[in-house]
Amino acid sequence: MASPLKGARAKPGEPVLGGPASVVETACPLDCPDACSLAVTVQHGKIVALDGSRGNPVTEGFICAKVRRFGERVYGPDRLLYPAVRKGRKGEGRFTRASWDEALALIVSRFEQAKARHGGASILPYSYGGSNGLLTQDNLDATLWRRLGTSRLARTLCAAPTGAANQALYGKMPSVTYQDYPEAKLIVVWGFNPSVSGIHMVPYLREAQKRGATLIVIDPRTTAIARAADIHLAVKPGTDIAVALAIHRYLFAGGRADEGFLQAHTHGADRLRERAEPWTIERAAEVAQVDAAALEQVARLYAERSPALIRCGWGLERNRNGGNAAMAILALPAVGGKFGVRGGGFAMSNSASWNLTRPWIGADEPASRVVNMTHLGRALTEYDDPPVDVLFVYNCNPAATVPDQTRVLRGLAREDLFTVVFDQVMTDTAQYADVILPATTFLEGYDFAKAYGPISMQLARPVVDPIGEARPNADVFGELCARLGLRREGDPEGELDLLVQVLDGLPGTIGGDLSAGRRPLPACGAAPVQFVDVFPNTPDRKIDLFPAALEASAPMGLYRFQPDPATDRYPLALISPSSDRTISSTLGELPRVDVKLTMHPDDARVRGLEEGDPVRIFNDLGEVHCPLTVAASIRQGTVSLPKGLWRRSTLNNSTGTALAPDTLTDLGGGACFNDARVQVASLARA
């Protein structure tokens, strides 16, 4: 396809650089379900304002405060402007400027040395793709790592347990989109806070309530959406599975299960019924520490109302029971017979709706070692067959985001580890790099913004030229392929060539629609009805409520509850929910008010703590120092630090990941951030 985009920086006829201010439309690919369309004001080649556009009718012209501040990242003091090589000890953050040629030559040399000494598996590419579209993740980078034969990375920090559950049950069938929420008569928002993690859901929830829908929120905290709910179950972290199984038992035992649907469209209903049988309302309420009458009301309302929708979030997966909790929650619409009507069923991620297989990746997966990214600390300090000699970090900040932070930092501090960090700003991880490469932001390059709440795909295009010597991912990985002798005929040389190749490789008319500035839709449409427009992507198009493979691989089997890891010494559950300041850890470098630990008044009182006190949060893995805020918005026995904190945000340069174990979830091998059990004490009395 001859691309009209090659060399373009704005719509035809729009000025981009210099002259009077102009507005350039693009889209946001950051890790949020919504994928906002953006209107960026540019003057004299510089971004002067970011706002929403109406190109995406779902996001409808408004954007979150996080993205509105993104220009502060583009031009901020932490922005990486040129390649650099370490000067001094690891972690000091002292670097000497280098040319791109010098930096890439050094990287290629160390790649070749590591492969000759211990094989390609001694090189560990480390990345996460939440804030990337189709171009900036798993394209030329994947081609490079596969041809080089490096270790493979299991990306498990987010959505691994819920993804495993969704895949096993439904084959990741497309789910209910925002547009159909107002059709529901009952909505359960479970483990998700749209006020900070998907703001465009909120108007649809409000519209549903105006039409008479009952809103139920299940979350350990009293969030803004929980305050607006008809019922809020403030469950103890890690007990969502007990609550879900109790609702299943209520449906089965009370004759409320849709036996006709189960017979026609599912496998394994009897095994699920058997596992749910011990979970009475009273037992689940005791385990989850919620009111039994309120839980029974939730079960009764779910049985009686239709259309009924469950919005399954990701907060519930971040513990030892996360995968089975997601299984039990996602199975509820099948048992309750909630499919087949608009506004009924479940909603989670629509990322698989486009059925994209990435045919443009120019190599197959090698049979090399798989490293679970949650175990980065172990990989850097313990693996020896082979050891990790080279670490290449991009699209993520593991020093801030990976559990067992102390061990991760100890591994990053190894003098014999050669670390490359390819990023936009000087992250906590970049402080430990041997070579730093400056990357473009989404406002300086092309990408595809693919929503996974609503279903949409948009072309994100550069609104300004790259700052300093920053380069797009595709340009850098393409050049590394060439320098290592791994380039093949037909490989794209960089971002624009890759853009054309991806457009050509998209199914149907999607690529043509995008290049023409239109918003394409997948085969299922913009608002599919489950079991009318879409069916499970399983071999027989039936729901597998009791997948044999997962039963065999789960430590305790399916729909099993593992008890709380709290001890007398460390009785408090520490959770790390999303905040209104960062997207994971992106934008964590921006100045902010003091980060505080949130604690329930009763928990503060018994510890002699008051609002504003400096405290230490600690367990056997580490400790974090910060001020305290006392609020009834969090349930008793649970404390909270925001997700995505950088080390500079606390008094002792440690974050909540220093207290999180690197244990894995029951399904999917995910991270158990919310299994951190801690004690809190006055820092002044330490």
Side-chain angles (χ1 to χ4, degrees):
M1 173 168 47
S3 174
L5 300 166
K6 214 162 191 181
R9 290 281 166 184
K11 288 182 179 178
E14 285 183 342
V16 177
L17 302 179
S22 59
V23 176
V24 185
E25 294 213 357
T26 185
C28 177
L30 300 180
D31 193 4
C32 163
D34 298 359
C36 294
S37 55
L38 301 178
V40 185
T41 303
V42 178
Q43 188 169 33
H44 303 302
K46 185 173 182 178
I47 298 163
V48 295
L50 277 83
D51 209 336
S53 84
R54 297 188 179 274
N56 183 344
V58 174
T59 63
E60 207 175 25
F62 69 96
I63 62 173
C64 68
K66 308 175 194 182
V67 173
R68 199 175 293 279
R69 295 186 65 190
F70 205 88
E72 297 177 46
R73 162 167 278 219
V74 175
Y75 303 114
D78 292 288
R79 185 68 195 270
L80 297 174
L81 299 176
Y82 46 77
V85 176
R86 175 168 65 98
K87 175 183 178 183
R89 294 194 310 274
K90 288 277 185 85
E92 286 185 340
R94 296 169 55 212
F95 298 92
T96 299
R97 182 172 181 171
S99 68
W100 271 100
D101 182 67
E102 291 168 335
L104 293 177
L106 177 57
I107 292 167
V108 167
S109 173
R110 295 302 294 264
F111 276 178
E112 291 173 338
Q113 291 175 30
K115 185 166 185 177
R117 184 179 180 190
H118 288 129
S122 66
I123 302 168
L124 176 60
Y126 198 92
S127 65
Y128 195 79
S131 286
N132 298 282
L134 293 180
L135 293 188
T136 46
Q137 182 80 45
D138 292 337
N139 279 299
L140 282 172
D141 54 327
T143 300
L144 170 64
W145 308 132
R146 292 178 181 193
R147 290 177 182 169
L148 195 55
T150 67
S151 284
R152 292 175 287 158
L153 187 72
R155 297 193 178 108
T156 56
L157 288 187
C158 180
T162 47
N166 194 1
Q167 179 66 43
L169 286 165
Y170 297 102
K172 294 191 174 181
M173 174 178 70
S175 65
V176 179
T177 63
Y178 295 176
Q179 298 96 308
D180 281 343
Y181 283 31
E183 304 298 325
K185 299 302 181 186
L186 175 78
I187 300 176
V188 183
V189 177
W190 203 322
F192 184 67
N193 182 13
S195 299
V196 300
S197 297
I199 61 173
H200 298 89
M201 180 197 293
V202 175
Y204 292 97
L205 291 174
R206 289 175 178 163
E207 177 62 23
Q209 287 185 292
K210 286 180 182 177
R211 297 188 189 182
T214 298
L215 176 62
I216 297 168
V217 171
I218 302 178
D219 194 301
R221 300 177 303 141
T222 306
T223 60
I225 202 67
R227 287 192 292 272
D230 298 283
I231 302 173
H232 172 213
L233 294 183
V235 296
K236 182 179 180 180
T239 65
D240 302 270
I241 181 177
V243 172
L245 288 175
I247 300 173
H248 277 293
R249 186 185 187 278
Y250 182 93
L251 295 171
F252 280 121
R256 305 296 190 100
D258 189 333
E259 299 292 350
F261 182 89
L262 293 174
Q263 179 68 28
H265 296 288
T266 74
H267 301 293
D270 287 342
R271 297 297 306 276
L272 171 55
R273 186 196 312 256
E274 174 189 315
R275 294 286 166 91
E277 177 58 30
W279 288 97
T280 63
I281 293 288
E282 292 73 22
R283 181 189 177 196
E286 181 180 2
V287 167
Q289 297 180 1
V290 296
D291 179 67
L295 175 53
E296 184 168 12
Q297 185 183 13
V298 169
R300 177 177 55 79
L301 288 170
Y302 187 72
E304 294 174 351
R305 301 287 175 87
S306 183
L309 170 65
I310 292 180
R311 184 10 170 133
C312 180
W314 294 273
L316 58 91
E317 74 169 9
R318 295 157 64 90
N319 64 82
R320 67 212 171 277
N321 295 315
N324 274 303
M327 287 279 293
I329 292 165
L330 292 174
L332 281 168
V335 175
K338 303 304 181 183
F339 291 120
V341 291
R342 190 166 295 281
F346 71 85
M348 196 171 71
S349 174
N350 276 307
S351 61
S353 298
W354 298 86
N355 196 29
L356 300 179
T357 58
R358 295 181 182 265
W360 47 83
I361 297 178
D364 294 328
E365 285 271 19
S368 54
R369 172 177 65 185
V370 176
V371 176
N372 188 313
M373 70 185 309
T374 299
H375 285 165
L376 177 62
R378 299 188 192 195
L380 297 182
T381 60
E382 297 177 7
Y383 288 14
D384 58 7
D385 187 24
V388 177
D389 292 331
V390 175
L391 178 70
F392 194 109
V393 178
Y394 62 108
N395 296 347
C396 68
N397 182 15
T401 59
V402 175
D404 200 357
Q405 183 181 61
T406 301
R407 181 154 49 172
V408 171
L409 295 179
R410 188 165 68 247
L412 290 172
R414 279 175 40 201
E415 285 294 334
D416 64 332
L417 174 70
F418 182 75
T419 300
V420 181
V421 174
F422 180 26
D423 211 316
Q424 301 161 7
V425 296
M426 180 62 77
T427 63
D428 288 343
T429 309
Q431 298 280 344
Y432 288 85
D434 292 282
V435 175
I436 290 174
L437 303 176
T440 51
T441 69
F442 77 90
L443 295 171
E444 302 158 270
Y446 286 102
D447 213 335
F448 296 100
K450 187 160 65 81
Y452 57 92
I455 298 176
S456 70
M457 187 185 296
Q458 303 166 84
L459 176 67
R461 56 206 180 94
V463 302
V464 293
D465 286 332
I467 305 301
E469 297 180 17
R471 293 186 181 180
N473 284 17
D475 288 8
V476 172
F477 290 116
E479 184 164 349
L480 284 172
C481 277
R483 286 176 178 249
L484 286 160
L486 300 175
R487 176 172 286 170
R488 304 286 186 267
E489 184 178 352
D491 284 352
E493 294 186 5
E495 182 185 58
L496 289 174
D497 287 341
L498 178 62
L499 173 65
V500 174
Q501 189 175 102
V502 171
L503 287 170
D504 281 342
L506 291 172
T509 62
I510 292 173
D513 286 344
L514 283 167
S515 64
R518 295 187 292 267
R519 292 186 309 277
L521 287 173
C524 65
V529 177
Q530 293 171 323
F531 282 85
V532 173
D533 303 310
V534 292
F535 293 85
N537 294 313
T538 54
D540 60 1
R541 302 220 306 177
K542 290 188 176 184
I543 306 166
D544 194 348
L545 294 172
F546 207 92
L550 284 187
E551 166 73 0
S553 63
M556 297 178 63
L558 291 179
Y559 305 112
R560 300 288 197 188
F561 173 75
Q562 298 182 62
D564 196 291
T567 64
D568 290 341
R569 188 176 182 190
Y570 303 121
L572 299 172
L574 172 67
I575 62 174
S576 53
S578 299
S579 77
D580 60 357
R581 303 300 296 264
T582 65
I583 304 105
S584 190
S585 71
T586 300
L587 299 174
E589 78 278 9
L590 299 185
R592 59 187 299 169
V593 296
D594 287 342
V595 168
K596 296 181 179 180
L597 177 78
T598 303
M599 174 180 277
H600 189 275
D602 292 344
D603 289 327
R605 189 176 304 113
V606 298
R607 290 165 176 80
L609 300 172
E610 297 181 353
E611 177 73 25
D613 282 353
V615 296
R616 57 186 292 258
I617 313 111
F618 62 96
N619 60 19
D620 290 338
L621 292 174
E623 59 183 71
V624 178
H625 300 172
C626 69
L628 176 70
T629 190
V630 180
S633 59
I634 193 162
R635 59 160 291 119
Q636 191 174 359
T638 301
V639 293
S640 172
L641 277 171
K643 177 184 177 183
L645 293 179
W646 285 29
R647 298 177 66 207
R648 67 182 67 173
S649 300
T650 67
L651 301 177
N652 68 330
N653 295 321
S654 289
T655 68
T657 55
L659 306 168
D662 70 352
T663 51
L664 303 179
T665 57
D666 48 355
L667 305 177
C672 294
F673 294 103
N674 291 352
D675 275 351
R677 295 297 178 266
V678 301
Q679 185 55 276
V680 179
S682 169
L683 186 59
R685 297 195 296 268

